[in-house]
Amino acid sequence: MARHASPLQSLLVDDRFDGDVYPREPMARHTTYRIGGPARFFVRVGSVGALARLVEVCEEQGVPWVVVGRGSNLLVADEGFPGVVVSLGRDFRTLKVDEEAGRLYAGGGVMLSAVVQEAFQRSLAGFEFAVGTPGTVGGAIAMNAGARDEWIGERVVSVTTLAPGRGLERIPGDAVTWGYRSSSLPSDAVVVECELAAEKGDPFYIRGKMEANLSRRKRTQPLTEASCGSVFRNPEGASAAALIEGLGLKGANVGGARVSDAHANFIVNEGGATAADVRALIGRIQTEVRQAHGITLTPEVRFLGFE
C-alpha cells in the first residue's frame, strides 16, 4: 500500500501524524445548514506542526484544501469537495485570560461563544455584540464578524496565522484592514491564535447588553432552523433583507430551501433541502433584486465544491 500511496495518503496514515482522519466524510455533519456531500478527507489537526505539514503536502501535490470552523457560513455542494477539509482541534482550542491586562488569548478553533461567556464571567466588557453568534474565533476574525456598529476586528490586538510558504506570522491588529464582513488577511492564511482586548466593566451592564442583543436575535432571526446566517452582504446604503422582503420574497422556496419568514436575508433548510436548492434560490433572489433595483447582491455565504 505504501508503495502506491500518494504523499498525502502516506502522511494521513502515518501513526506520527497528530490528527484524526475521516475519508469520504459527509460535510452535512459539519455545517449549520446540515447540507453537503463528502469531502475526500476531513482532517482534525491537533497541533500547529500537523497543520503545517498537512498544508505543505497539499500545496506540493496540488490538492485543494480549506479550513472550516463550525460551518456556520458555508454551503457545500451536493457532490462534496474533492480535497481536504481541515478542522482545528486540540491545541487550537485553548482560551486563556489575563484579567489585569484585559486580554484574552484564544486559539483559532475556540468557539466565539466561549470567548463571550468567559469575558462575561470575568466582568470584562467588549464582546456583548457577539452573543449568540455561531462559529469559531478564527472564522470570525477572517470575516470580521460583528453587529451593525461593532465587530471583532476592533478587539484584535494581534493575530497569528499560518500560510503556505510563509509559515507562522504574528500580525498586529492595527496592521490589518478591517472592513464590513472582511479583513485584509490573506485568503490562504489560517488563523491559529489571537490576542483580544477587553476592559473591566459593570457585570450588570454587561449582562443587560448581552440579554438585549440575544433577545433581538431571537426576535428577528430564525435561530431554531438550519441556516448559514445572513446569506447576502448589505449593499452600500441599503439593507439586503429590506430589498428582498420588499419584493415579497419571504416564504419563497426552491425544493426544501425557503426564504425565512422571520428574516428575509436568511434561507433555511426545511429538512430536505439540497445545496442545489439553496444555490438556485440565491440566484433567484439576486435576479429579482437586480431587475427591480439594479443592485447585485453579493453572497456572504462561502461556497465549497461548486464549479
Side-chain angles (χ1 to χ4, degrees):
M1 174 179 165
R3 184 187 310 168
H4 303 289
S6 69
L8 175 61
Q9 291 169 324
S10 296
L11 172 67
L12 297 181
V13 299
D14 191 326
D15 290 339
R16 296 167 296 180
F17 178 69
D18 187 8
D20 301 314
V21 181
Y22 304 88
R24 302 294 298 169
E25 174 72 1
M27 286 303 296
R29 298 175 181 173
H30 303 281
T31 67
T32 55
Y33 249 140
R34 302 172 197 154
I35 293 173
R40 179 181 174 189
F41 292 106
F42 182 90
V43 184
R44 185 175 296 111
V45 293
S47 63
V48 171
L51 172 64
R53 182 60 182 142
L54 177 58
V55 169
E56 179 185 21
V57 170
C58 286
E59 289 288 317
E60 289 175 350
Q61 299 300 307
V63 176
W65 62 276
V66 64
V67 175
V68 302
R70 189 172 170 237
S72 56
N73 67 329
L74 190 64
L75 180 66
V76 182
D78 300 308
E79 296 77 18
F81 179 61
V84 177
V85 174
V86 185
S87 173
L88 302 181
R90 189 191 64 243
D91 287 0
F92 303 95
R93 298 182 180 182
T94 60
L95 176 59
K96 299 177 182 178
V97 182
D98 183 337
E99 290 188 54
E100 291 301 315
R103 294 289 187 267
L104 294 91
Y105 304 88
V110 171
M111 296 300 296
L112 183 57
S113 59
V115 172
V116 174
Q117 290 301 319
E118 189 69 25
F120 166 61
Q121 290 171 15
R122 309 291 186 107
S123 296
L124 293 173
F127 297 96
E128 301 82 28
F129 71 90
V131 66
T133 302
T136 60
V137 168
I141 288 176
M143 69 171 292
N144 194 23
R148 181 174 300 174
D149 302 314
E150 298 177 272
W151 50 88
I152 197 166
E154 297 176 305
R155 294 285 161 187
V156 176
V157 177
S158 69
V159 56
T160 301
T161 64
L162 185 146
R166 300 192 297 278
L168 289 172
E169 295 180 300
R170 184 178 180 276
I171 306 169
D174 58 11
V176 179
T177 301
W178 304 101
Y180 169 61
R181 296 294 187 270
S182 68
S183 75
S184 62
L185 293 172
S187 60
D188 62 351
V190 182
V191 175
V192 298
E193 188 179 50
C194 68
E195 179 183 352
L196 303 169
E199 55 271 342
K200 275 293 184 181
D202 182 335
F204 294 101
Y205 173 81
I206 296 171
R207 177 189 287 276
K209 193 173 179 181
M210 287 172 61
E211 289 178 347
N213 288 341
L214 190 57
S215 176
R216 178 183 55 79
R217 286 182 184 275
K218 288 180 178 179
R219 186 176 65 254
T220 62
Q221 299 177 7
L223 301 183
T224 61
E225 298 180 271
S227 79
C228 70
S230 296
V231 175
F232 300 104
R233 298 181 181 184
N234 288 323
E236 185 70 31
S239 160
L243 293 172
I244 297 166
E245 183 173 356
L247 294 175
L249 289 173
K250 272 190 173 181
N253 74 289
V254 173
R258 176 175 54 83
V259 177
S260 170
D261 294 314
H263 195 303
N265 199 16
F266 281 62
I267 293 176
V268 299
N269 174 6
E270 295 191 291
T274 64
D277 290 340
V278 176
R279 189 72 182 268
L281 187 52
I282 288 173
R284 175 185 168 185
I285 293 168
Q286 288 177 307
T287 297
E288 294 202 24
V289 170
R290 185 164 51 247
Q291 290 176 343
H293 301 287
I295 295 173
T296 299
L297 293 179
T298 301
E300 189 172 304
V301 58
R302 295 169 59 202
F303 299 104
L304 186 63
F306 292 88
E307 291 295 332

